[in-house]
Amino acid sequence: MTTATTNVMALETEHVLQVYKRNPVVFERGRGCRLFDGEGRGYLDLVSGVGVAALGHANPRLAAAIADQAATLIHTSNLYFHPLQGEVATRLSDLSGLPRAFFCNSGAEAVEACLKFARRYWHAQNVSRPGLVAFDHSFHGRTIGALSVTWDDHYRAPFAPLLSDVQFVSPNDPDALLAAVTESTGAVILEPLQGEGGVRPFSQRMADAVTEACTRTGALLIADEIQCGLGRTGRPFYSSALGLRPDLMAVGKALGAGVPIAAALFSERVAKAAAFGDHGSTYGGNLLACRAALVFLEELIDRDLISHVASVGAHLERGLRAIAARHAIVREVRGAGLIWGLDLDRPALPVVEAALELGLLVNRTSDTVVRLLPPFVITEGEVDEALALLDRAIEKAAEGKAS
Ligand SMILES: Cc1ncc(COP(=O)(O)O)c(C=O)c1O
């Protein structure tokens, strides 16, 4: 490790709040699906900044648009109109069928807005329905509201007390869901394909039970599509693939392709409950962020990147299933499109560390799962390269060898 690298690490360790256990690498630049560290070493990136860098790194169209916008106007606040927010909202509405958007800067804020406006909807009708139903293995973010519907006690316990009226249900137990959702449930919140919780797609049976429960009781449905939405699975949203009809939806991550922007999307009946001054964000949906989102949405839809995700994702799936067939330590392969998890019969960290040493970035989630979230622009050739490295990393970890 060079002195420059150790200096970076030392400075952070001294002055940055120690909540991230970082990998021992300092990235300085990127190109497409590759990142380069301060020592000039290249890595194939199958993490994409946790599902954010959908267009790859240093995408020329995105970089040019951001530079142009920066030289024109970056930010004016939500006190005034600007030409881009309505454009992004229209595109998201076309894609989701949810006609109104509230813009913010992170996934947790988008979830928070969904939780607030689910409440607002019931308040507007003078009805008390404070209950929320969420799912085991869910992850919705780190703000108090989002944390309250996040399952893992490791994230929750240090910040108790959280919202009290939340019930968690196993995503494999439709009967429990049907029993949990009652006339005092304000909303059911779910990730149709759970990301942080171990890459676990909802089954069609469970999705049908959710629809049945919400229809029977009138409870609102919030779909958290922050990680699995906006093309990540090869479809615009995984909830629609399951036939779910959410009243509220949270999107983020890929939306700005690296520039922070997220949104809560609302059906007209929920949006009608909102009044001026109910909610707000200083940065939310500023010009720079909206410009980046427009580039992302143009690439995804107008230039049909979404079809590429579906086809290269199928190629990746075939390769992962072949790896699973070769390595007994892989218990299950789960995912869709370009979000995949290899569930191991042991902790996943040694695989992640062996992969890093081989020049491949993957990450661990839910202790035993190796998660892959490559940029949408990954090619079949890069997938093959990644699969070969992953195969070696699993072999090393299975043998208990350091590389
Ligand atoms: C499904 C889901 N919801 C919410 C969040 C929170 O997003 P952010 O970290 O941008 O606040 C995440 C982040 O990983 C997520 O995967």
Side-chain angles (χ1 to χ4, degrees):
M1 220 176 265
T2 63
T3 317
T5 300
T6 44
N7 284 349
V8 168
M9 293 178 183
L11 194 64
E12 271 216 12
T13 307
E14 202 176 335
H15 293 294
V16 173
L17 189 71
Q18 294 297 290
V19 291
Y20 300 115
K21 195 165 186 322
R22 300 197 203 279
N23 289 283
V25 59
V26 177
F27 289 124
E28 291 194 340
R29 66 190 175 85
R31 195 88 203 159
C33 295
R34 293 188 200 265
L35 284 171
F36 300 89
D37 69 14
E39 312 191 1
R41 186 161 181 230
Y43 299 77
L44 194 49
D45 178 12
L46 269 71
V47 175
S48 68
V50 198
V52 167
L55 304 182
H57 301 289
N59 177 284
R61 276 198 74 227
L62 180 64
I66 291 172
D68 176 62
Q69 195 59 52
T72 308
L73 192 58
I74 292 178
H75 179 87
T76 54
S77 86
N78 282 304
L79 295 176
Y80 311 101
F81 290 94
H82 72 65
L84 305 182
Q85 214 178 95
E87 267 191 61
V88 183
T90 305
R91 297 219 63 158
L92 290 174
S93 163
D94 291 347
L95 212 52
S96 67
L98 295 169
R100 287 184 190 272
F102 172 83
F103 289 100
C104 46
N105 316 287
S106 67
E109 285 172 80
V111 168
E112 209 67 38
C114 288
L115 295 173
K116 281 184 74 176
F117 282 98
R119 270 207 178 159
R120 186 74 180 93
Y121 172 80
W122 293 113
H123 281 192
Q125 298 173 57
N126 285 320
V127 172
S128 170
R129 292 183 68 146
L132 293 165
V133 173
F135 287 88
D136 296 359
H137 306 290
S138 63
F139 182 88
H140 297 292
R142 311 287 196 140
T143 51
I144 292 287
L147 200 54
S148 299
V149 288
T150 288
W151 176 72
D152 194 333
D153 212 42
H154 172 74
Y155 299 130
R156 301 165 54 89
F159 302 100
L162 303 175
L163 295 181
S164 56
D165 215 338
V166 180
Q167 203 175 333
F168 288 93
V169 170
S170 161
N172 301 319
D173 193 345
D175 292 336
L177 187 270
L178 290 168
V181 180
T182 68
E183 310 255 313
S184 64
T185 305
V188 175
I189 179 164
L190 56 84
E191 297 158 80
L193 192 163
Q194 296 178 323
E196 301 300 308
V199 190
R200 299 168 195 270
F202 262 58
S203 67
Q204 190 59 58
R205 252 183 87 224
M206 194 66 200
D208 293 345
V210 168
T211 302
E212 186 185 326
C214 290
T215 308
R216 176 174 47 82
T217 63
L220 298 171
L221 176 60
I222 304 172
D224 179 345
E225 292 265 4
I226 287 163
Q227 188 162 149
C228 64
L230 293 174
R232 168 66 59 189
T233 64
R235 301 124 165 140
F237 299 104
Y238 203 69
S239 47
S240 40
L242 290 172
L244 291 166
R245 300 284 305 272
D247 302 280
L248 306 97
M249 185 187 283
V251 293
K253 288 197 186 282
L255 182 58
V259 179
I261 180 169
L265 309 178
F266 307 102
S267 65
E268 197 56 47
R269 69 174 176 145
V270 174
K272 266 202 188 111
F276 289 128
D278 270 357
H279 198 46
S281 163
T282 298
Y283 288 119
N286 79 9
L287 288 113
L288 188 76
C290 284
R291 185 75 182 268
L294 285 172
V295 173
F296 167 72
L297 292 166
E298 277 160 26
E299 291 288 337
L300 187 72
I301 304 302
D302 306 348
R303 297 176 158 221
D304 206 21
L305 186 57
I306 195 163
S307 299
H308 174 73
V309 173
S311 63
V312 79
H315 184 72
L316 176 58
E317 177 178 5
R318 282 191 292 277
L320 291 173
R321 295 208 183 279
I323 283 181
R326 273 197 301 282
H327 298 280
I329 72 165
V330 182
R331 286 189 299 205
E332 201 177 4
V333 178
R334 297 190 293 259
L338 287 177
I339 172 168
W340 289 97
L342 299 185
D343 194 1
L344 309 184
D345 65 3
R346 62 195 71 190
L349 193 58
V351 173
V352 173
E353 288 174 345
L356 183 69
E357 283 190 37
L358 291 167
L360 174 70
L361 303 181
V362 292
N363 93 314
R364 170 193 59 158
T365 184
S366 188
D367 194 37
T368 59
V369 177
V370 180
R371 179 178 50 176
L372 281 62
L373 286 169
F376 294 4
V377 294
I378 195 166
T379 63
E380 287 201 359
E382 286 164 336
V383 164
D384 291 341
E385 193 185 331
L387 287 167
L389 293 170
L390 184 61
D391 195 59
R392 278 169 59 200
I394 293 174
E395 199 170 293
K396 280 192 170 127
E399 289 167 2
K401 273 200 267 173
S403 43

